[in-house]
Every structure is written in C-alpha cells, then in structure tokens.
Amino acid sequence: MLVLHHAWRSSASRRVRLCLAEKGLAFQSHLVDMMRMEHHSPEYLKINPNGVIPTLILEDGRSLYESGTICEYLDDTYPDPPLRPADSYERAVMRNWIRYADERIGNLIIFNWVHSLAKVAATWSDAELAEKLKKVPSKERQDAWIRAARKPYTEEERAAARGKLVAMLDKMDDTMRQTKWLAGDAYSIADIAVVPFIKRIDEEIAPDEMTPARHPRVAAWWASIQSRPAFATARIEGFQDELAKT
C-alpha cells in the first residue's frame, strides 16, 4: 500500500491527498508533526532530503516528494480517471499553473504559519532556535523559521502577500473566460494545484474577493471543486478546525 507522510494543514499535502482521492487510491496515513520539526529529523531526511512534506512511499519502498511531481506520477501510474489534459499544449498550460502556484507559496506561508508554528517558535530561546535551524536543509525554510520565531510579518508585508494571492484570482478568472477549468475543459492537476490557496483565501485571507461580484468564474469554479466527492475525502478543512483537533 502507498504510504503518505503528510500534515492535514500542509498546502502541498492537501494537493496530494486530493489527487489520491480523485483516483480512489487508498493509502496509509503517516502524520508529520511540523511543530516538533519531525520533517527535519534524520529519519525523515532519509526519505526526503529536502525536509518538506509530503513524501509518498511507493509499494516497492521508493520515495517521491514535491507535490506536483507526485500528482503526475499518480496520473501516469493510475491513469483512470485522467487528471492531465490529452492535448500537449493544455498539458503544458497545466504545468505552468503548477509552477505559478508554487512560486506563491511564500505568500501563503505568511498567513499559514502564524496559526501554530509561529506561536511555538516564538517560545524558543536563541540557543534552541540556532540548534533547530541546523537541522533545516533549505535556507529558504531557515529564513521562514527565523521570521516565525523572531520577526513577525508586518501589516505591510501581509498586505503585499494578500495582493499577490488576489492576483492569482484575477489570473484564474481571466483564464476561465475561455475554458471551463484552468488547463482546458477538463478538471486537472492544474486545478488541484491551486485548491489549497483558494481554500485559505476564501476562509481568511480575502473572502471578500471570492464573491460572484468580484471573481464570478472563480466563485463558480470553487463551488464545483467543493462539490466533488474527493474534496471531502481529502479533508481539506479549515485551519482553525484542524487546530482544534490537535
């Protein structure tokens, strides 16, 4: 059986769970406690040297990481139902959407980490912080932990991040003037890639932008996404709801 190392609130984990749910694939769930930095432990780094989640362990024991890569692997290996366009141009558009979303993950972190990770990191002493940073393989994530622990994001930075995420809605709305979904007229990994962003925008970051008056095509798209059975199966729930369970 497939084994997924993930966290319920992790945006990348949500993508992979949604893909697995769309495929109807069962998996063994292995939760990673990010507040205890389990994803930077020596044991975890053996299966994912980047120290990020999720990681998918295949039935033969090999591991895969990076959510976009995992989703494409799943579509290659379990092709029914297809989650990539048959047309080569539309498949390229799909990959551009995945990249576009990935480039905005830093803007999402500004809002996501404040709910739990920043509160924990702020309690660490300077010595504890320095020791923990030694275990983080990515300088980008080291910087994120430093910001979480010592330099809370300013209102100006939050406003800038919000603006870039709202720009995603603008791009989506413009794209879907011509197509039903983001990479053509069929639901694909492009749509899955942006779901975690839209969930957070809708519940906290900019819910006023998710109305039919502001972004009508995104609002209709989001209603369609949430009505899919896989959405419930993948447990893409509210941040505060998930925090209440931990």
Side-chain angles (χ1 to χ4, degrees), residues 82-85 90 94 181-184 186-193 225:
L83 290 177
R84 290 179 297 178
E90 291 181 347
M94 177 201 77
W181 300 94
L182 291 181
Y187 175 86
S188 75
I189 298 171
D191 302 286
I192 289 173
I225 291 287

Side-chain angles (χ1 to χ4, degrees), residues 5-6 19 40 60-62 69 135 162 184 210 223 225 227 233 245:
H5 294 255
H6 69 114
C19 186
H40 300 314
D60 62 7
R62 291 180 296 173
T69 300
K135 302 175 183 178
R162 181 186 185 278
M210 290 294 296
I225 291 287
S227 70
T233 301
K245 297 173 185 176

Side-chain angles (χ1 to χ4, degrees), residues 15 18-19 23 67-76 82-85 91 93-95 97-98 101 182-183 186-196 221:
R15 284 181 177 179
L18 187 52
C19 186
K23 295 289 183 180
S67 59
T69 300
I70 293 172
C71 289
E72 289 218 51
Y73 167 85
L74 291 172
D75 200 55
D76 275 331
L83 290 177
R84 290 179 297 178
R91 191 169 291 203
V93 170
M94 177 201 77
R95 292 190 177 115
W97 269 106
I98 296 170
L182 291 181
Y187 175 86
S188 75
I189 298 171
D191 302 286
I192 289 173
V194 302
V195 162
W221 171 93

Side-chain angles (χ1 to χ4, degrees), residues 14-29:
R14 290 178 167 196
R15 284 181 177 179
V16 173
R17 290 201 310 273
L18 187 52
C19 186
L20 287 163
E22 291 286 355
K23 295 289 183 180
L25 294 171
F27 63 92
Q28 180 182 335
S29 172

Side-chain angles (χ1 to χ4, degrees), residues 111-168:
F111 295 95
N112 287 357
W113 283 30
V114 70
H115 283 285
S116 53
L117 298 181
K119 293 177 181 177
V120 172
T123 67
W124 298 336
S125 67
D126 290 346
E128 287 174 320
L129 175 61
E131 189 62 30
K132 291 179 184 295
L133 289 177
K134 292 178 183 177
K135 302 175 183 178
V136 181
S138 162
K139 185 181 185 304
E140 180 183 13
R141 287 306 170 101
Q142 287 178 352
D143 291 342
W145 277 109
I146 291 172
R147 290 303 307 264
R150 295 293 183 268
K151 301 177 182 178
Y153 291 101
T154 65
E155 285 304 314
E156 290 77 10
E157 288 174 310
R158 289 170 62 85
R162 181 186 185 278
K164 290 178 181 178
L165 293 172
V166 169
M168 174 182 282

